[in-house]
Amino acid sequence: MLRHTDWGEADRLLVLFSREAGKLRAVAKGARKLRSRKAGHLEPFTRVKLLMASGRDFWIITQAETVDAYLPIREDLVRTAYAAYVIELIDRFTYEEGENRPLFQLLIDTLGRIAALPDAFPAVRYYEIRLLDLLGFRPELTNCVRCGAQIQPENQFFDADLGGVLCPRCGANVPAAHPISMPALKFLRHYQRSTFHEASRAALTPAVQREVEALLNYYLTYLLERRLNSPAFLHEVRRDFSDHL
Ligand SMILES: [Zn+2]
């Protein structure tokens, strides 16, 4: 479950990411009443098993059962913040467009790793890189996105608009491009082609950690802003808006 809002007198409108139907919205009737049995199962960051009936506008939840409450995430503020970020990304990058099992699996795996591992950094970076793959925004990291030359082991540039790395010669002519160090590029490539188990064994200095985090943040922010201006997004917003009238 991704988030909820109050709905009518006593109900809740939930935004869920499901294995069978991807992102969807559902109403939990009476969930805000004190003694509601469903309410305890319907908290954000919780993995739940639901029985639903189709309603006029949304699905209606008839039964809820917790599969995993991710208690270590709830009990630790840093983990809570990481999980909130993971959920916000999937929520902002997806529409109600039907089943997407790889994305569902990535979300479940990532929340499980944040709950279980002492450091959430590898889990969250791996999530960002896989999310980019699954959404069709996999950055090009082996050849210059402008001249096509193979990237050499040296410091380069990265450009969000072109979607990948630029060799030092081309990068110098693209004012918006961000510098990227060789260790940061190696980290991204390693994460792009490895399983989580292999990827998470790579050791990183704090400086490279910060660089990788900032670079992914720059690319994801760019994509979200571009998406905010896309026709599909405007359509979604209009539908949301008219649903609430
Ligand atoms: Zn080039």
Side-chain angles (χ1 to χ4, degrees), residues 77-123:
L77 273 181
V78 175
R79 286 194 171 109
T80 305
Y82 274 121
Y85 169 72
V86 159
I87 280 175
E88 193 186 340
L89 271 190
I90 203 167
D91 193 16
R92 291 183 64 188
F93 268 113
T94 55
Y95 311 123
E96 290 167 49
E97 54 210 346
E99 177 181 317
N100 190 334
R101 290 200 185 214
L103 209 48
F104 176 82
Q105 195 57 47
L106 177 67
L107 179 62
I108 297 301
D109 289 345
T110 303
L111 292 175
R113 286 167 192 152
I114 292 173
L117 298 174
D119 177 14
F121 182 90

Side-chain angles (χ1 to χ4, degrees), residues 23-42:
K23 187 173 176 178
L24 56 88
R25 286 179 291 179
V27 174
K29 297 242 179 227
R32 280 155 60 211
K33 286 185 191 140
L34 274 178
R35 291 193 302 163
S36 162
R37 277 193 297 133
K38 271 176 286 186
H41 298 279
L42 298 173

Side-chain angles (χ1 to χ4, degrees), residues 60-202:
I60 294 165
I61 295 169
T62 53
Q63 269 185 54
E65 183 191 322
T66 302
V67 176
D68 195 338
Y70 299 111
L71 285 180
I73 291 180
R74 281 157 204 283
E75 289 162 354
D76 180 287
L77 273 181
V78 175
R79 286 194 171 109
T80 305
Y82 274 121
Y85 169 72
V86 159
I87 280 175
E88 193 186 340
L89 271 190
I90 203 167
D91 193 16
R92 291 183 64 188
F93 268 113
T94 55
Y95 311 123
E96 290 167 49
E97 54 210 346
E99 177 181 317
N100 190 334
R101 290 200 185 214
L103 209 48
F104 176 82
Q105 195 57 47
L106 177 67
L107 179 62
I108 297 301
D109 289 345
T110 303
L111 292 175
R113 286 167 192 152
I114 292 173
L117 298 174
D119 177 14
F121 182 90
V124 176
R125 298 293 88 81
Y126 194 78
Y127 169 76
E128 292 170 326
I129 288 166
R130 283 279 95 81
L131 186 71
L132 289 169
D133 276 1
L134 294 173
L135 296 168
F137 297 117
R138 182 184 174 96
E140 169 58 49
L141 300 176
T142 50
N143 289 84
C144 172
V145 286
R146 201 160 220 205
C147 72
Q150 201 176 0
I151 290 297
Q152 302 301 314
E154 57 189 338
N155 294 343
Q156 321 278 344
F157 292 88
F158 184 94
D159 187 68
D161 191 34
L162 296 166
V165 278
L166 291 154
C167 70
R169 239 172 7 147
C170 293
N173 299 319
V174 178
H178 282 215
I180 174 171
S181 71
M182 197 58 215
L185 180 60
K186 272 170 82 174
F187 171 92
L188 292 176
R189 281 188 191 172
H190 180 49
Y191 266 51
Q192 210 174 46
R193 62 172 179 239
S194 306
T195 62
F196 178 71
H197 182 68
E198 292 159 356
S200 62
R201 284 185 298 188

